[in-house]
């Protein structure tokens, strides 16, 4: 009897420990104080108003429809959260390439259909920072919100980071070549080192991700943002359909500029199809393949994403949102 009691006590202790660990893990996922929350309308997951989801049976309207974007303080950094209109679709065991790779072995973070880009203007000085978005977004950031730090939540972060580095390396090699005529091995090494350093300092690809129902939360360390995310910073948030296969698509031929590279993103095309966002215009390489973006109060997403000019090659300019400004508006 006594023995049975001891065993039971042990089991209870083990259960309590397991529960403690589970609770600890949940607490890690951003249960600290909320820094800000930005709301976004339901039903606007159509970019400039014309985009149609890829015609596949594993993605449907609502899945990329952002309802809110928020940030919570965490001991070691920030946990961002995106809430979608529909549950996040989980990678299953189906084989998706000739090598026999299964979807869940490639997309290991619990989601696979979307990217969420976040460009953060931390210094709030107009014109200071970058206005360039990740390859294939076919849009720029409004110089008033030029960014210092970018975050790209994508199903295959390591592949995306590697793809971005090789793209930038090639770009800088070409620049150097046009300046000095040739590129030496030493130059190449130098370029690779600088690019790796720049990408690590400027762009973060989250690998700690929690998916629950309609919500995806992801951790960004204080070492990257220089502390916890601030509500006085400017945020551009845009989502897109993820292309799992191609880290860097160099020959995106779908109605676009064949020279324009794309990073893990499904392009826009005409009509409807499985491999692209439908509803695009003919001979149009400036319509962004961005499905849902968060815009400032009083601004219409569709108008922002339509505001480009093919005649003078002027792309869309995305404005940032400063959460603290919204709070003062409410007062
Ligand atoms: Ca939305």
């Amino acid at each position: 009897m006594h023995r049975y009691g001891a065993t039971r006590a042990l089991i209870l202790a083990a259960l309590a420990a397991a529960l403690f660990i589970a609770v600890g893990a949940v607490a890690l996922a951003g249960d600290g104080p909320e820094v800000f929350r930005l709301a976004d309308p339901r039903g606007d997951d159509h970019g400039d108003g014309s985009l149609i989801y890829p015609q596949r049976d594993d993605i449907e309207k609502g899945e990329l429809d952002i309802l809110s974007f928020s940030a919570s303080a965490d001991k070691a950094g920030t946990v961002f959260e995106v809430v979608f209109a529909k549950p996040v679709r989980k990678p299953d065991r189906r084989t998706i390439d000739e090598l026999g790779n299964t979807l869940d072995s490639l997309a290991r973070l619990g989601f696979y259909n979307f990217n969420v880009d976040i460009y953060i203007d931390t210094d709030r000085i107009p014109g200071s920072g970058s206005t360039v978005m990740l390859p294939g977004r076919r849009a720029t950031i409004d110089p008033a919100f030029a960014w210092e730090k970018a975050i790209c939540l994508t199903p295959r972060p390591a592949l995306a980071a590697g793809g971005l580095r090789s793209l930038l390396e090639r770009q800088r090699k070409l620049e150097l070549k046009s300046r000095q005529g040739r590129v030496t091995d030493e130059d190449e090494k130098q370029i690779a080192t600088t690019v790796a350093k720049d990408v690590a300092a400027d762009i973060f690809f989250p690998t700690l991700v929690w998916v629950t129902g309609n919500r995806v939360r992801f951790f960004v360390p204080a070492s990257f943002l220089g502390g916890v995310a601030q509500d006085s910073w400017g945020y551009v948030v845009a989502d897109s359909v993820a292309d799992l296969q191609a880290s860097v698509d160099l020959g995106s031929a779908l109605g676009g500029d064949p020279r324009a590279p794309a990073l893990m993103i499904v392009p826009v095309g005409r009509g409807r199809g499985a491999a692209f966002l439908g509803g695009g215009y003919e001979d149009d390489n400036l319509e962004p393949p961005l499905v849902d973006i968060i815009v400032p109060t009083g601004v219409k997403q569709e108008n922002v994403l339509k505001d480009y000019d093919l005649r003078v090659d002027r792309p869309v300019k995305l404005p940032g949102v400063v959460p603290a400004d919204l709070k003062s508006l409410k007062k």
Side-chain angles (χ1 to χ4, degrees):
M1 207 56 202
H2 180 72
R3 206 172 194 177
Y4 169 74
T7 312
R8 198 167 60 168
L10 272 177
I11 291 171
L12 282 176
L15 276 176
L19 191 68
F20 179 74
I21 291 165
V23 168
V26 170
L28 245 185
D31 282 348
E34 189 169 283
V35 182
F36 66 81
R37 176 172 294 268
L38 299 173
D40 189 72
R42 185 186 291 269
D44 60 348
D45 49 340
H46 51 212
D48 62 6
S50 75
L51 297 188
I52 303 163
Y53 276 69
Q55 305 293 291
R56 305 186 332 225
D57 58 10
D58 69 339
I59 188 167
E60 61 179 16
K61 185 143 172 72
E63 284 187 44
L64 270 72
D65 185 2
I66 299 172
L67 299 185
S68 72
F69 169 68
S70 59
S72 299
D74 186 276
K75 245 186 276 167
T78 308
V79 173
F80 290 98
E81 178 188 89
V82 178
V83 178
F84 295 101
K86 290 226 169 108
V88 173
R89 205 180 284 259
K90 299 212 161 165
D92 54 31
R93 304 232 41 162
R94 86 186 107 118
T95 307
I96 58 161
D97 61 19
E98 293 88 7
L99 299 170
N101 286 311
T102 57
L103 181 56
D104 64 347
S105 72
L106 296 183
R108 304 173 78 100
L109 299 177
F111 68 101
Y112 69 102
N113 268 341
F114 56 81
N115 306 305
V116 180
D117 291 4
I118 303 158
Y119 304 86
I120 309 178
D121 176 16
T122 60
D123 68 5
R124 295 299 293 112
I125 301 169
S128 150
S130 175
T131 57
V132 177
M133 291 178 69
L134 287 167
R137 274 54 178 173
R138 293 184 173 181
T140 59
I141 304 291
D142 184 333
F145 295 93
W147 60 271
E148 279 70 40
K149 300 282 177 183
I151 299 161
C152 178
L153 177 70
T154 187
R156 303 181 70 184
L159 187 69
L164 181 63
R165 282 194 299 266
S166 49
L167 255 176
L168 291 175
E169 281 175 26
R170 206 182 43 212
Q171 228 172 51
R172 290 191 196 179
K173 262 185 245 172
L174 286 174
E175 282 163 16
L176 193 63
K177 201 173 170 194
S178 70
R179 273 209 313 273
Q180 61 181 39
R182 61 195 282 265
V183 177
T184 64
D185 287 357
E186 200 43 51
D187 290 334
E188 285 203 22
K189 259 190 234 159
Q190 183 64 43
I191 287 173
T193 313
T194 324
V195 163
K197 229 166 81 187
D198 290 354
V199 169
D202 298 346
I203 300 152
F204 186 76
F205 297 89
T207 52
L208 262 179
V209 180
W210 300 269
V211 176
T212 11
N214 298 21
R215 302 190 302 169
V216 56
R217 290 189 282 178
F218 46 100
F219 174 71
V220 176
S223 56
F224 176 72
L225 286 179
V228 172
Q230 303 291 305
D231 64 358
S232 56
W233 292 349
Y235 296 83
V236 172
V237 180
D239 72 4
S240 52
V241 180
D243 178 357
L244 284 187
Q245 299 296 345
S247 68
V248 176
D249 180 5
L250 292 171
S252 169
L254 284 164
D257 182 350
R259 292 162 304 165
L263 189 73
M264 321 270 341
I265 188 169
V266 163
V268 177
R270 285 192 71 206
R272 288 165 187 253
F276 58 92
L277 280 162
Y281 305 107
E282 190 171 9
D283 296 327
D284 183 336
N285 56 18
L286 287 180
E287 187 181 11
L290 304 174
V291 177
D292 198 358
I293 63 171
I294 295 185
V295 289
T297 314
V299 173
K300 272 198 82 183
Q301 165 187 313
E302 291 80 0
N303 294 344
V304 169
L305 291 172
K306 256 190 268 185
D307 187 11
Y308 57 89
D309 192 341
L310 287 167
R311 292 165 302 179
V312 292
D313 204 27
R314 178 178 62 77
V316 152
K317 254 193 277 177
L318 303 185
V321 180
V322 180
D325 291 356
L326 298 179
K327 277 180 202 158
S328 54
L329 272 180
K330 274 182 205 158
K331 274 174 198 161

